Amino acid sequence: IRCSTPTPVARVSQYACQRRTTTENNNKILTDAFEVLAESYELNQLEGPCLAFRRAASVLKSLPWAVQCLGATQGLPCLGEHTKALIEEILQYGHSFEVEKILSDERYQTLKLFTSVFGVGPKTAEKWYRRGLRSFSDILAEPSIQLNRMQQSGFLHYGDISRAVSKAEARALGNIIDEAVHAITPDGILALTGGFRRGKEFGHDVDFIVTTPEQGKEETLLPNIIDRLKEQGILLYSDYQTSTFDISKLPSHKFEAMDHFAKCFLILRLEGSLVDRGLNSTEGDSRGWRAVRVDLVSPPMERYAYALLGWTGSRQFERDLRRFARLEQHMLLDNHALYDKTKKEFLAATTERDIFAHLGLEYIEPWQRNA
Ligand code: TTP
Ligand code: MN
Ligand code: MN
């Protein structure tokens, strides 16, 4: 097969934080396949191979051209024998037998279905699967299963929260949160983060950072917002986690994925989202509202830049920022801080640009972080 090699490009870095990845994916057929494998490994709690496939997918997502022959992938990082065999197979036949096999596998399908419920992770899904449960009705009919509050809400609002949130809906929610924040404190700060900050058209939730310049006041911000949403009658579910952040305890032994800021995982009732259902919807459903997942995190102002960088994602971009910091700069990065192990000091930052500069990285815009 003849294959025109792409115009010579600069070396592609093994680190996602040294690549610019927009929402435009020229290799979706390949990356979708890799992601099925990554997901399958994740559901089987095999972290190593899962990460390998996520990394491979991430590299292909960053390419400004479509891979049309295996030769074109020469010199690209993070592509092992397994991924190369898959690429070859998909380029030749249009699909991969291994991927098809996983997609039709009962265990994969069931675990995927169970983990699609808000509050159900791979471990719970596995437990239910091993008990012989295969469907939602199996779970709901099983008397020995005690669903926690999160899972109960997950089932209750399943239809709504498993449907993608649009940009327009994210904007409408932004207005609601903005109104709440400023009613509580006029100097309150609200920033959209997560996938929508990266320019995605759709998301599984909407993520915001809320804070205030007044030191310590951010502690009461979330409880106040939650109370207000409750009074407005739009709070369908709330899981508030108080701050366990303690600056004096940094650097923590382990710079973790989960941060210690006050945060809440919400389900809100969004009115008037009829438009987004499509006007010629065949469902007899015309209630005029939908449930939406919203995440709020509330760091102290001096941690704002780190929190914003950490919550903007993508997860793969975050992983590689940390890996790059550790392996290339001998630094520790998490959602709270950046610690220089050589100088034995924390590096202050008021903007994301400061953090990239500390790390010796070129600045990558939020919309280029879709790794
Ligand atoms: P998500 O909302 O899970 O992902 P997303 O916004 O990139 O994608 P989607 O459109 O599907 O919602 O997480 C957003 C970022 O927040 C992600 O980079 C991980 C980060 N995050 C934390 O750092 N700590 C947390 O406790 C949580 C829940 C998320
Ligand atoms: Mn999100
Ligand atoms: Mn989120």
Side-chain angles (χ1 to χ4, degrees):
I1 302 167
R2 285 192 57 219
C3 179
S4 57
T5 16
T7 42
V9 277
R11 201 189 102 261
V12 175
S13 171
Q14 64 152 315
Y15 297 106
C17 55
Q18 289 187 309
R19 304 191 294 254
R20 295 173 200 273
T21 314
T22 66
T23 53
E24 189 191 331
N25 179 358
N26 297 298
N27 293 288
K28 195 165 184 303
I29 298 164
L30 297 173
T31 61
D32 281 354
F34 291 178
E35 273 160 10
V36 169
L37 278 145
E39 195 128 38
S40 167
Y41 283 119
E42 187 168 51
L43 290 170
N44 291 315
Q45 286 148 74
L46 293 167
E47 214 181 313
C50 167
L51 267 181
F53 278 102
R54 288 214 199 288
R55 265 189 206 148
S58 180
V59 165
L60 297 194
K61 280 183 195 174
S62 75
L63 301 178
W65 42 272
V67 172
Q68 271 157 1
C69 67
L70 194 60
T73 65
Q74 214 193 3
L76 292 178
C78 311
L79 302 180
E81 289 308 309
H82 195 169
T83 51
K84 290 203 169 167
L86 275 171
I87 292 174
E88 205 164 24
E89 193 187 2
I90 294 167
L91 291 177
Q92 188 168 355
Y93 303 107
H95 59 94
S96 143
F97 294 106
E98 190 182 1
V99 172
E100 303 288 301
K101 212 176 100 202
I102 292 169
L103 287 174
S104 61
D105 178 59
E106 188 190 31
R107 180 184 148 84
Y108 173 83
Q109 286 178 357
T110 311
L111 294 180
K112 191 111 169 77
L113 177 71
F114 290 175
T115 53
S116 75
V117 179
F118 177 52
V120 181
K123 290 204 179 97
T124 305
E126 167 83 36
K127 200 174 70 192
W128 291 347
Y129 183 81
R130 271 200 264 124
R131 285 207 209 169
L133 308 173
R134 295 292 180 268
S135 66
F136 289 167
S137 44
D138 285 354
I139 294 164
L140 298 172
E142 176 58 52
S144 67
I145 286 186
Q146 281 289 318
L147 297 176
N148 63 32
R149 213 170 54 86
M150 198 182 216
Q151 294 160 348
Q152 284 173 27
S153 299
F155 277 110
L156 185 60
H157 301 293
Y158 186 78
D160 272 357
I161 61 182
S162 59
R163 215 176 64 235
V165 184
S166 71
K167 228 185 218 179
E169 289 171 327
R171 219 175 292 127
L173 283 159
N175 292 337
I176 292 168
I177 306 295
D178 187 69
E179 197 266 333
V181 171
H182 289 103
I184 292 156
T185 171
D187 61 2
I189 291 161
L190 172 71
L192 178 67
T193 177
F196 285 108
R197 183 167 183 248
R198 301 197 308 273
K200 276 175 60 178
E201 290 293 328
F202 294 97
H204 96 281
D205 68 356
V206 194
D207 308 280
F208 297 100
I209 297 187
V210 293
T211 189
T212 144
E214 230 177 294
Q215 172 109 48
K217 201 175 174 185
E218 81 282 347
E219 297 267 0
T220 56
L221 205 47
L222 289 186
N224 283 329
I225 293 172
I226 292 166
D227 282 346
R228 232 188 122 77
L229 297 171
K230 203 182 290 168
E231 279 162 25
Q232 294 174 345
I234 60 172
L235 189 71
L236 298 173
Y237 171 85
S238 166
D239 171 13
Y240 171 65
Q241 301 185 357
T242 175
S243 166
T244 52
F245 176 67
D246 184 350
I247 190 82
S248 66
K249 288 205 182 114
L250 292 172
S252 56
H253 333 271
K254 194 186 159 212
F255 265 47
E256 306 125 303
M258 270 288 171
D259 62 57
H260 297 276
F261 300 130
K263 61 176 77 72
C264 56
F265 306 112
L266 308 175
I267 300 176
L268 297 185
R269 179 186 163 105
L270 180 64
E271 304 287 339
S273 65
L274 204 60
V275 191
D276 292 299
R277 282 166 184 281
L279 291 171
N280 44 14
S281 163
T282 50
E283 307 160 55
D285 186 358
S286 58
R287 54 196 171 125
W289 65 274
R290 68 165 290 183
V292 195
R293 277 268 302 110
V294 173
D295 288 341
L296 305 180
V297 60
S298 184
M301 193 61 207
E302 96 228 344
R303 301 287 119 204
Y304 182 82
Y306 286 103
L308 182 63
L309 180 62
W311 278 74
T312 297
S314 67
R315 277 170 203 275
Q316 196 56 39
F317 191 87
E318 302 296 329
R319 248 180 231 130
D320 277 2
L321 268 176
R322 287 160 204 223
R323 198 162 60 96
F324 179 88
R326 192 163 34 91
L327 301 180
E328 304 295 328
Q329 305 291 18
H330 208 53
M331 292 180 184
L332 293 174
L333 172 71
D334 69 7
N335 287 4
H336 319 97
L338 178 61
Y339 182 73
D340 186 324
K341 292 203 277 183
T342 313
K343 293 185 186 158
K344 293 192 171 58
E345 65 180 25
F346 286 100
L347 306 175
T350 53
T351 64
E352 289 180 316
R353 280 183 190 276
D354 294 343
I355 305 170
F356 281 91
H358 285 318
L359 289 168
L361 288 169
E362 273 178 43
Y363 182 65
I364 308 286
E365 298 284 355
W367 47 272
Q368 298 171 328
R369 299 181 203 161
N370 290 287

